[in-house]
Amino acid sequence: QNLFFSEHAEGSSNNKYFEVYNASDVDVSLADYAFVNCSNGCEDWEYTSSFAEGAMIAAGGVHTVCHSGADVEGILPHCDETRTLYHNGDDAQGLIYFDGELLDVFGAIGDDPGSGWEAAGVADATKDHTLVRKSSVTEGSGYDWASSAGIDGDDSQWIVLDSDTWTYIGSHPHDF
């Protein structure tokens, strides 16, 4: 089905989470999906993680995966599952279907970008920021982080918010 990252946060301390949006008109079991990571630059995905057993996303809903040590009041009430999340600003993350098809990517496979990737014209946007996908986005970008990130606020698929901004967690889409 049509799943993609709708929000990604790398905030202070353990305040990390990502959100997957179900843009389809049917409920989706996450049993056949996984998220993958590439830490500090790599040529292929290094880590593959399954979603929690029984995890589902309702049609038009989100599934939020949060670091277990995240903010108790601002983040955790919106989480569908918690675990230790190791992503930092320079760690790529992908959403895959069981056959290995990459549906969406946050960051890019390849060389370590330094502190983070640029998005919407903001240097190191993936580090110490919350990124929310624009409502005009209707599907994931596959491997194409550069197109998703854009070069300025107009052509980027993302709105870059300050660190520890959790206003939009738990739902999608949003009007800005």
Side-chain angles (χ1 to χ4, degrees), residues 2 18 34 36-37 39 48 53 55 67 73 87 93 99 136 169:
N2 188 10
F18 67 88
V36 290
N37 290 66
S39 180
T48 301
E53 188 172 331
H67 191 288
E73 293 178 16
H87 70 262
Q93 191 159 16
D99 64 0
S136 59
I169 188 173

Side-chain angles (χ1 to χ4, degrees), residues 19-81:
E19 185 179 86
V20 177
Y21 176 61
N22 176 2
S24 77
D25 59 359
V26 296
D27 295 353
V28 175
S29 166
L30 292 175
D32 292 332
Y33 297 85
F35 55 99
V36 290
N37 290 66
C38 169
S39 180
N40 303 319
C42 62
E43 295 305 314
D44 199 3
W45 299 111
E46 298 174 304
Y47 308 102
T48 301
S49 300
S50 299
F51 288 94
E53 188 172 331
M56 298 279 297
I57 307 179
V62 298
H63 184 83
T64 308
V65 179
C66 305
H67 191 288
S68 54
D71 183 87
V72 173
E73 293 178 16
I75 295 176
L76 289 181
H78 305 282
C79 302
D80 295 296
E81 63 180 279

Side-chain angles (χ1 to χ4, degrees), residues 69-109:
D71 183 87
V72 173
E73 293 178 16
I75 295 176
L76 289 181
H78 305 282
C79 302
D80 295 296
E81 63 180 279
T82 59
R83 59 180 63 217
T84 301
L85 291 177
Y86 294 107
H87 70 262
N88 291 311
D90 62 347
D91 298 335
Q93 191 159 16
L95 176 64
I96 62 170
Y97 189 58
F98 81 95
D99 64 0
E101 177 187 2
L102 184 66
L103 304 174
D104 202 7
V105 68
F106 189 86
I109 294 289

